[in-house]
Amino acid sequence: STIFVICAWLWLQKCQDRETISLDRSTVSASDYTLCVRGIPSDTTEDDLMEHFQRVAGGEPVAEVHLAFANSKEISLYFHRGKLMKKRYDVVQRIRYELTRKRFFADGADGNDPNSSGTWHKPPKNSQKTTRRLAKLHAERTKLTAQIRLADEERERIMAKDGGQSKAIQAYVTYQTESAFIRAIGGDQISWV
């Protein structure tokens, strides 16, 4: 019975591989009609490329043109800024928690009132500790705010260095028809046999 299971599994694997290839051939997607064009001039626009590749395809329409930019530094700065914003948000929430807790118990609540909406089991033991904790949280928030400003200034400096625009490094040109795509890649010389 083990041999039968192994044989059945191998047969199913082979059938699945054949079906995957068949579905891939019979399914049309935008990537089937898309060219990746590298080495384009950095000042090229999408409209320029659309006109050019429409001429290359004998006047057949281009569906879309998208540029890829050399902006990895800018993207990494956005990720860094996002992490700083998350940390700052967490600190602000901790400050709100401490302030709310401090106000709740300053009103004379002892944490044991079943009718109160507070969720704290006992009041802070030492109000000086709470004050020090709040001061530390406020300092951390100020530090994170300064780091966010620095990250923004760095991003603006990088963008200003490039003249406010990232440099285009490649383009993706998608045709509306298969014949236009084939003509654009030099399909007249392609043998399908």
Side-chain angles (χ1 to χ4, degrees):
S1 75
T2 303
I3 294 173
F4 174 76
V5 170
I6 291 173
C7 289
W9 180 78
L10 290 171
W11 178 77
L12 285 172
Q13 187 67 36
K14 187 175 179 180
C15 288
Q16 182 180 354
D17 292 344
R18 275 188 283 169
E19 190 65 24
T20 300
I21 291 168
S22 173
L23 285 173
D24 188 43
R25 286 183 180 162
S26 65
T27 304
V28 178
S29 67
S31 65
D32 292 339
Y33 303 143
T34 301
L35 294 174
C36 177
V37 184
R38 292 185 169 88
I40 61 173
S42 61
D43 61 345
T44 303
T45 66
E46 291 175 348
D47 291 336
D48 294 341
L49 288 170
M50 188 171 281
E51 288 174 18
H52 172 75
F53 281 98
Q54 194 165 352
R55 281 193 308 272
V56 167
E60 291 201 44
V62 172
E64 293 180 322
V65 174
H66 295 285
L67 296 174
F69 297 96
N71 57 356
S72 61
K73 278 187 178 180
E74 189 178 340
I75 290 170
S76 65
L77 284 172
Y78 274 115
F79 274 107
H80 177 65
R81 185 184 193 280
K83 289 177 184 176
L84 291 173
M85 288 296 292
K86 170 75 170 93
K87 285 180 185 178
R88 186 180 183 281
Y89 174 82
D90 291 344
V91 168
V92 168
Q93 295 308 311
R94 289 193 338 243
I95 290 171
R96 290 181 67 198
Y97 169 81
E98 291 293 338
L99 288 173
T100 303
R101 186 170 184 239
K102 188 176 178 181
R103 266 188 246 117
F104 178 77
F105 288 113
D107 292 341
D110 63 0
N112 296 321
D113 182 5
N115 297 324
S116 74
S117 61
T119 58
W120 300 284
H121 299 288
K122 27 187 168 163
K125 293 179 183 175
N126 187 343
S127 64
Q128 289 176 343
K129 267 188 174 179
T130 302
T131 304
R132 282 193 305 266
R133 200 167 36 244
L134 276 168
K136 184 179 175 184
L137 288 169
H138 281 292
E140 188 176 351
R141 182 187 64 187
T142 302
K143 178 181 140 191
L144 287 168
T145 301
Q147 289 176 344
I148 290 167
R149 282 194 189 112
L150 285 173
D152 288 342
E153 290 169 7
E154 175 71 10
R155 183 182 46 81
E156 288 172 11
R157 185 185 62 74
I158 287 173
M159 287 182 68
K161 185 176 86 173
D162 293 335
Q165 293 245 334
S166 296
K167 294 180 182 176
I169 56 173
Q170 64 186 26
Y172 296 93
V173 181
T174 304
Y175 285 97
Q176 288 184 2
T177 63
E178 183 179 19
S179 61
F181 174 76
I182 292 170
R183 199 172 288 133
I185 61 171
D188 296 336
Q189 295 88 25
I190 295 177
S191 171
W192 295 101
V193 178

